[in-house]
Amino acid sequence: NPLYFLSKNPHEFIYFSQRDGWMHLYKYNDEGKLISQLTKGNWLVNDIIGMDAEEKHIFFHSTMESPVDIAAYSLDLSTLKIVKVSQGKGTHNAVLSPGGKYLLDKFSASTLPRQIDLVNANGTLVKTLLKAENPLKDYKLGETKLITSIKAADGKTMLYARIILPPNFDPNKKYPSVTYLYNGPHAQMITNSWLCGSNLWMQYMAQQGFIVFTIDGRGSSNRGLEFEQAIFRHCGDNEMADQLEGNKYLRSLPYVDTARMGIHGWSYGGFMTTTMMLKSPGTYKVAAAGGPVIDWKYYEIMYTERYMDMPQENPDGFDHANLLNYVKNLRGKLLIIHGTVDPVVVWQHSLMFVKKCVDEGKQIDYFVYPGHPHNIYGKDRVHLMTKISEYFKTNL
């Protein structure tokens, strides 16, 4: 994070640090002396919105109320008193007026598509400028619910999940399911935002008669240092353990057909999808993995060394995470998808995987998108999402 210098006192600045386990704000002088810790608690500061003209108050976004909610707050720099200035729960993105007297607060929540409020600096609502109509009101959608009852594999950490039910849901029926996952750094799938952070493909799959499920396991963002660092030097382990807790919850639902469970993810999610199929064979019948990391030795240096250290420093961690070592365990249907000019997860990853499958006598489905980088965009994305959808429909 950049340093945030104070114009009234240019020898002082605001500094971001997770030194106490949570991302908080600290005030320093330019000689490196800590003046004070400005925020503290088991929550984190997401970013600084700005300051008022007198630089007596600093405004910031934070997860103070809940890990799935982001609200706007004001901090009195003299008393360190914090006041919530945004209205209600949800995911807020506020903009401070030049004089610091007002905020334009743009936000959504699970059942609220979008609202824009004008609030003053002490949190009083001045006027609601926009309350968007539901853009999907003409579509038949199932219920989207936020789940807060699942604990991580450590038995203590709360995990947040989302479930989407088909339209005309009948609790007496048995439905196939698709779990969508990422579970890597710098990403949070479950938020109190419109449709709980789901995308329209997930809603479409629910329309096709699937239960669609997602859970943020340890390693994902906005939960503090301990939660994020649980994956350090052994990517795939704690994430898989937490995904299995999510799967256990899904299997406990009487309307989920446990013989027809699928899983899908891209990039880190592709790595996790393949991990689940190889290290927990039989848990899922069908999987679609896009741009998957197969061997961390071939992933980009900047990212890999941050989370895994170097191969010579952590040989056991790299070996344990190398999915080529588990191809022999594969059960069920697996579709691997890759862009041929992927500069992030280079094509070599999935080509090595295909070769290992041949060596082990394992059958997989494989598809490439010529000329595409790490993600598939443009009209070809329609082809991609159709392929993934049909794969689950055909095999589940």
Side-chain angles (χ1 to χ4, degrees):
N1 293 285
L3 305 181
Y4 194 92
F5 280 88
L6 306 178
S7 59
K8 297 291 185 183
N9 188 348
H11 294 288
E12 294 181 354
F13 59 86
I14 309 297
Y15 181 75
F16 284 82
S17 175
Q18 293 194 92
R19 66 186 57 179
D20 69 353
W22 303 87
M23 186 66 81
H24 282 298
L25 302 179
Y26 297 77
K27 186 195 281 189
Y28 272 86
N29 66 23
D30 57 9
E31 293 181 348
K33 181 181 178 182
L34 173 63
I35 297 172
S36 62
Q37 181 173 352
L38 302 178
T39 60
K40 191 173 186 178
N42 293 345
W43 45 270
L44 54 89
V45 174
N46 297 84
D47 58 22
I48 291 175
I49 302 170
M51 300 187 75
D52 57 17
E54 296 79 23
E55 292 191 342
K56 292 182 179 179
H57 297 84
I58 189 167
F59 298 87
F60 60 93
H61 291 113
S62 172
T63 61
M64 193 182 306
E65 286 192 335
S66 163
V68 296
D69 290 273
I70 295 178
Y73 297 87
S74 167
L75 169 70
D76 187 315
L77 288 174
S78 60
T79 66
L80 301 187
K81 181 182 178 182
I82 296 175
V83 175
K84 183 182 176 184
V85 294
S86 56
Q87 303 286 311
K89 291 184 176 295
T91 299
H92 293 255
N93 182 19
V95 179
L96 190 65
S97 67
K101 293 183 178 180
Y102 300 97
L103 292 99
L104 196 66
D105 180 23
K106 298 171 283 184
F107 65 100
S108 72
S110 59
T111 57
L112 176 68
R114 193 180 192 209
Q115 186 166 323
I116 302 177
D117 287 342
L118 181 66
V119 298
N120 65 25
N122 64 15
T124 303
L125 176 65
V126 177
K127 186 178 183 181
T128 294
L129 303 176
L130 171 72
K131 191 165 185 177
E133 190 177 5
N134 181 356
L136 303 175
K137 61 182 174 60
D138 295 329
Y139 293 86
K140 198 168 186 179
L141 302 183
E143 183 182 8
T144 301
K145 297 193 291 187
L146 189 68
I147 309 297
T148 60
S149 59
I150 305 172
K151 287 187 178 179
D154 64 6
K156 60 180 182 178
T157 307
M158 181 64 68
L159 301 180
Y160 293 85
R162 174 186 62 233
I163 192 167
I164 307 172
L165 303 177
N168 299 321
F169 171 70
D170 183 349
N172 296 312
K173 287 185 177 180
K174 292 280 190 179
Y175 294 90
S177 67
V178 173
T179 293
Y180 177 83
L181 82 168
Y182 184 80
N183 210 155
H186 307 295
Q188 183 182 23
M189 299 290 103
I190 312 303
T191 57
N192 185 14
S193 58
W194 175 231
L195 299 177
C196 297
S198 66
N199 61 37
L200 296 185
W201 175 77
M202 300 173 190
Q203 299 291 330
Y204 165 77
M205 290 301 286
Q207 286 181 326
Q208 303 306 300
F210 289 85
I211 302 287
V212 184
F213 180 78
T214 298
I215 188 169
D216 279 331
R218 285 170 295 166
S220 51
S221 66
N222 267 357
R223 296 294 304 275
L225 201 60
E226 181 181 354
F227 191 92
E228 294 169 11
Q229 284 192 332
I231 70 172
F232 184 50
R233 290 172 65 90
H234 49 92
C235 286
D237 286 358
N238 285 324
E239 304 96 298
M240 184 178 77
D242 289 351
Q243 290 297 326
L244 288 174
E245 291 301 314
N247 181 267
K248 187 187 301 181
Y249 168 81
L250 205 54
R251 287 173 179 270
S252 73
L253 302 176
Y255 46 81
V256 171
D257 187 341
T258 58
R260 293 188 293 159
M261 306 184 87
I263 188 167
H264 167 50
W266 199 276
S267 192
Y268 204 101
F271 163 67
M272 287 305 305
T273 295
T274 313
T275 296
M276 300 299 289
M277 291 297 285
L278 302 182
K279 292 187 177 182
S280 184
T283 300
Y284 297 95
K285 182 183 179 183
V286 181
V293 177
I294 299 298
D295 183 347
W296 285 99
K297 292 196 302 291
Y298 297 104
Y299 194 63
E300 59 182 25
I301 293 169
M302 169 278 294
Y303 188 104
T304 302
E305 290 186 8
R306 181 186 299 153
Y307 301 112
M308 289 286 284
D309 283 338
M310 291 189 285
Q312 59 268 38
E313 297 170 338
N314 183 22
D316 291 341
F318 275 82
D319 186 62
H320 186 65
N322 185 347
L323 298 182
L324 298 177
N325 296 328
Y326 307 94
V327 170
K328 59 182 178 293
N329 299 333
L330 178 63
R331 288 165 53 191
K333 300 281 290 184
L334 173 60
L335 169 64
I336 299 281
I337 304 171
H338 219 129
T340 62
V341 294
D342 190 333
V344 183
V345 182
V346 293
W347 196 6
Q348 183 176 358
H349 283 268
S350 64
L351 289 176
M352 290 189 304
F353 190 82
V354 170
K355 178 62 170 67
K356 189 66 173 177
C357 286
V358 174
D359 294 344
E360 296 285 354
K362 293 293 182 179
Q363 296 289 338
I364 65 166
D365 296 301
Y366 188 68
F367 197 87
V368 297
Y369 281 90
H372 277 278
H374 189 49
N375 290 294
I376 315 301
Y377 291 123
K379 73 182 187 68
D380 291 4
R381 189 164 185 86
V382 179
H383 186 279
L384 166 70
M385 299 316 296
T386 301
K387 173 167 285 295
I388 293 170
S389 303
E390 292 301 317
Y391 197 73
F392 286 120
K393 287 192 226 175
T394 299
N395 295 298
L396 289 181

